[in-house]
Amino acid sequence: MERFPIDVTMVPVGPVRGTIRPPGSKSITNRAFLVAALADGESRLEGWLDADDTQAMRTALSALGAELAPEGSTMVVRGRSGRLSAPEEAVDVRSSGTTARFITAAAALADGPVRVDGSAQLRRRPIEPLVVALRSAGVGVDYLVATGALPICVHPAPLPGGHLAIDASVSSQFASGLMLVSPFAERDTEIDFVDGVAVSRTYLETTAEVMRAFGASVSVDESVSVGSGRQYVGRHYEIEADASAATYPLVAGAITGGVVTVIGIPAASTQADLGVLDVLSAMGCTVDRRPTSITLSAPSDGKLQPVDVDLSLAPDGALSIAVACLFASGPSTLRGLSTLRFKETDRLTALATELGKLGADTTVTDDTIVVVPGAPSGARITTYDDHRMAMAFSLAGLVIPEVVIDDPGCVAKTWPGYWSALEELRPGSVIAGPTATIVAIDGPGGVGKTTVSRTLAEKLGLGHLDTGAFYRGATAAVLRSGVSISDPVAVVDVVHRAALTFRDGAMLLDEVDISDEIRSSSVTSAVSAVAAIPEVRDRMVQLQRRWVAHQPKGAVVEGRDIGTVVFPDADLKIFLTARPDVRARRRAGEVADADVGSIQRDLERRDRADSSREVSPLRAADDAVVIDTSDLPMEGVVEVALSHVAHLG
Ligand code: DC
């Protein structure tokens, strides 16, 4: 387990820029764990979230007889065909709300009485509406300590189906719990909402999506219908990145005047907190949603507009939006937030208190908070053992000096790697210091970039980075994974998960030297296609800038887009060219049994692909020194380059 300090002091940054893949969705992971555990046969779940709340679900399901075993990034679940076994001990749901509600419902399918208990925090959260609905379906439930709260004992009975009513005005999780077990009822089930109200209805759609993916028949409308007899079937299933988690980097971009790309959430995703995207647009940000990614750009004038919005469908996202409102140019009103009182803490009160410490004036009513920004001031933020409070308020510290976040470890509930992910977005960590020298050397293949850059770096005592090796390394990772290079969503996902490092001139993948593999013909033929994907480039640029930031004196960086995109402010930009036949002969010298003709054709094909791609095509920067190396020995090229370095002062 990662160790966390007792607090963190945030340091404000300039505009954050970067690409991030949030962890797997907590909501989908916990639904998929349960459905797979109840399915016929084996399931393989990719991209699952490994955090406190999902460990709670995992151990609870194991206690009920399901087998869940991680194999790398895949969770292998052996399903129980709808029958769970009652353990002797109480099932401990820890502090996980979804686990408490889903396991309480699933206990109805056990072969004996099941006691369910949780942490002190969870014992304070409501369970009564689900208990009422289960009792109406003939399932016995006893309260073991206090009425309306865990611990409870569930006495299973066959679920009859038919009409059930549930009070889902406090949490949609009660209804989701009932939905998840309804395929095992004797007849079709129709779930109505008391007074027609279901809060966070979008979460019911997410529940239905997961159920359908495993073969259930379910529809969500004014009421929810679940067919009986269509039970879950084990399968291979991809878990999306978490939309609630995505709100933190996106808001970080919005409030610092930055640009942030989040990947891993498909365009068709039903995750509730995607509602936050509309709010950020209303605040003046540009939100570009593509099949593989979401990119947020802060308003160009840096001013966020105040908003008056109903966030009842994106309740978790309300916390990051409330923090964004601190930086709006006027008072904002966030409505529809009554359920926030029943989360890890009373989040409405907590928001008001902590926003107040940072200089805002807040007014809270039953379900609304009004945030009037004031003169910002740093403060120690209490986080109430609530991961979302910690993550949301850390964002304020990217702008306001001296924001201290208490108990940063509470993020482990849903995002154990949050603090390192935030660190990656800090421009300070991806842009070299002011005294470093950066020399950019661009040009097509075979012009002598590597020889020139390496020699120049040695003579100047700078680091040497071959960015082509990063694109080749990413391509090797894609080929190894077996995903199709014509499936950009899958390619982007693999590239973001690949641990690529360039050390002492060698390319490493997961700390294994793949320098030979990246020169293979399969990598060479696939690399242009992989390098043309915008989200792959974003990631590569991020890794390359970070690499250079770690060079104490700076670096000579070679590639195709260094002077134009990666380091547009480089101290010196050189663009090398050479005639195609010369380049082919040079490349042939690097490969055994080379056929110059086919190498020239391949170089020309890659030149065309690299120069005509939409994002960062190969071209000389306007302020680059262009050197034709066709008839110049490499020493001559280095001399010309050094003479330009001498002029830098
Ligand atoms: O320099 P090289 O042949 O090793 O580069 C391999 C591929 O990577 C090249 O076809 C284009 C791509 N690339 C790129 O798009 N941008 C860079 N900065 C470096 C390489």
Side-chain angles (χ1 to χ4, degrees):
M1 246 349 255
E2 215 165 320
R3 282 171 188 275
F4 292 99
I6 56 163
D7 60 26
V8 285
T9 303
M10 301 297 300
V11 180
V13 294
V16 300
R17 282 171 203 284
T19 303
I20 214 163
R21 186 191 200 282
S25 158
K26 175 188 86 163
S27 312
I28 299 179
T29 300
N30 270 358
R31 283 163 174 79
F33 277 3
L34 178 62
V35 167
L38 291 174
D40 266 343
E42 187 183 275
S43 293
R44 300 179 71 82
L45 311 177
E46 299 289 347
W48 57 283
L49 169 69
D50 188 3
D52 290 353
D53 270 14
T54 54
Q55 271 165 22
M57 179 61 96
R58 206 173 133 191
T59 47
L61 288 169
S62 304
L64 290 161
E67 274 179 54
L68 292 89
E71 266 180 26
S73 64
T74 312
M75 180 64 83
V76 182
V77 185
R78 200 138 318 133
R80 306 255 327 174
S81 306
R83 288 178 298 275
L84 298 172
S85 34
E88 292 272 308
E89 304 276 300
V91 178
D92 181 5
V93 297
R94 307 189 198 180
S95 290
S96 167
T98 46
T99 306
R101 280 68 180 253
F102 298 173
I103 288 292
T104 296
L109 304 175
D111 57 5
V114 178
R115 282 173 299 134
V116 183
D117 199 359
S119 68
Q121 185 190 61
L122 202 82
R123 282 183 173 200
R124 289 193 293 273
R125 295 178 67 179
I127 192 81
E128 174 85 353
L130 178 57
V131 169
V132 169
L134 285 171
R135 283 177 176 161
S136 76
V139 178
V141 185
D142 304 328
Y143 289 112
L144 301 178
V145 175
T147 302
L150 295 183
I152 53 173
C153 183
V154 179
H155 301 273
L159 294 167
H163 270 278
L164 288 176
I166 190 149
D167 179 352
S169 59
V170 168
S171 171
S172 62
Q173 289 170 6
F174 304 135
S176 285
L178 270 194
M179 285 167 71
L180 288 161
V181 295
S182 292
F184 301 98
E186 283 161 0
R187 285 180 296 137
D188 294 351
T189 306
E190 193 75 24
I191 303 171
D192 295 319
F193 304 109
V194 173
D195 299 331
V197 184
V199 289
S200 322
R201 195 179 268 274
T202 32
Y203 278 99
L204 301 180
E205 196 43 61
T206 298
T207 307
E209 285 281 318
V210 178
M211 293 172 66
R212 278 187 213 116
F214 285 79
S217 151
V218 47
S219 68
V220 179
D221 222 313
E222 288 307 297
S223 60
V224 174
S225 317
V226 183
S228 91
R230 288 273 305 273
Q231 298 178 2
Y232 303 127
V233 182
R235 57 165 287 181
H236 186 261
Y237 185 68
E238 282 278 347
I239 293 171
E240 299 170 8
D242 193 284
S244 314
T247 67
Y248 307 111
L250 292 173
V251 168
I255 64 177
T256 61
V259 181
V260 170
T261 298
V262 164
I263 65 153
I265 303 177
S269 171
T270 59
Q271 291 189 63
D273 277 330
L274 291 171
V276 159
L277 297 180
D278 290 338
V279 182
L280 289 168
S281 298
M283 296 184 92
C285 301
T286 307
V287 178
D288 180 14
R289 200 154 171 210
R290 293 189 246 151
T292 51
S293 62
I294 302 166
T295 296
L296 174 136
S297 313
S300 47
D301 61 3
K303 289 207 186 78
L304 289 175
Q305 300 301 316
V307 283
D308 183 337
V309 283
D310 184 325
L311 282 168
S312 52
L313 296 183
D316 285 345
L319 276 74
S320 21
I321 291 296
V323 168
C325 292
L326 266 179
F327 304 99
S329 55
S332 294
T333 307
L334 308 182
R335 305 175 189 277
L337 302 180
S338 58
T339 58
L340 259 58
R341 295 198 184 278
F342 307 101
K343 301 288 183 173
E344 280 76 348
T345 182
D346 171 352
R347 284 182 176 161
L348 264 188
T349 306
L351 273 178
T353 311
E354 305 307 316
L355 289 170
K357 288 184 189 169
L358 296 174
D361 242 343
T362 52
T363 317
V364 169
T365 58
D366 273 359
D367 70 345
T368 299
I369 182 165
V370 179
V371 182
V372 186
S377 57
R380 175 173 284 277
I381 300 297
T382 308
T383 50
Y384 310 88
D385 197 14
D386 183 348
H387 54 136
R388 299 207 185 284
M389 285 295 290
M391 293 190 275
F393 279 85
S394 70
L395 304 175
L398 297 177
V399 181
I400 305 173
E402 300 294 325
V403 172
V404 180
I405 306 293
D406 268 347
D407 185 20
C410 67
V411 301
K413 191 166 202 273
T414 51
W415 193 348
Y418 177 71
W419 299 105
S420 349
L422 195 60
E423 191 60 31
E424 284 196 11
L425 285 179
R426 297 169 64 85
S429 70
V430 295
I431 290 177
T435 56
T437 304
I438 296 175
V439 179
I441 303 208
D442 288 302
V447 283
K449 290 192 301 288
T450 302
T451 317
V452 171
S453 315
R454 197 178 288 140
T455 318
L456 207 54
E458 265 167 31
K459 288 193 185 289
L460 297 171
L462 305 180
H464 166 228
L465 177 63
D466 172 8
T467 60
F470 268 103
Y471 287 94
R472 288 172 177 271
T475 305
V478 170
L479 295 179
R480 279 185 179 206
S481 74
V483 305
S484 157
I485 62 162
S486 49
D487 177 354
V489 178
V491 169
V492 169
D493 214 48
V494 171
V495 170
H496 271 261
R497 288 188 211 189
L500 291 168
T501 328
F502 188 67
R503 194 180 302 140
D504 302 328
M507 192 72 217
L508 310 181
L509 174 60
D510 291 326
E511 290 298 313
V512 175
D513 190 341
I514 54 163
S515 303
D516 289 338
E517 184 175 333
I518 64 171
R519 303 287 156 198
S520 66
S521 57
S522 50
V523 167
T524 301
S525 4
V527 64
S528 286
V530 173
I533 301 173
E535 293 83 357
V536 168
R537 301 201 69 82
D538 284 348
R539 178 65 178 168
M540 294 297 108
V541 170
Q542 192 177 17
L543 294 177
Q544 292 157 13
R545 288 184 179 152
R546 197 172 330 137
W547 189 92
V548 171
H550 285 101
Q551 304 304 303
K553 294 177 65 187
V556 179
V557 188
E558 62 165 296
R560 304 288 196 285
D561 58 346
I562 310 305
T564 48
V565 175
V566 187
F567 292 110
D569 298 326
D571 300 276
L572 174 63
K573 299 178 189 177
I574 293 175
F575 193 84
L576 301 181
T577 61
R579 289 193 304 276
D581 57 308
V582 177
R583 298 198 281 126
R585 259 183 281 118
R586 286 195 189 134
R587 272 284 148 103
E590 296 165 11
V591 196
D593 303 330
D595 162 6
V596 180
S598 80
I599 290 188
Q600 181 167 340
R601 280 191 297 282
D602 181 56
L603 274 175
E604 281 169 347
R605 178 186 64 78
R606 279 206 289 144
D607 283 356
R608 267 196 307 280
D610 294 344
S611 313
S612 61
R613 68 173 171 239
E614 263 175 43
V615 188
S616 334
L618 165 67
R619 68 173 179 84
D622 295 337
D623 50 351
V625 179
V626 180
I627 307 176
D628 187 337
T629 70
S630 307
D631 304 310
L632 204 57
M634 284 306 149
E635 305 80 65
V637 182
V638 171
E639 252 168 54
V640 178
L642 281 173
S643 71
H644 284 279
V645 175
H647 286 114
L648 290 177

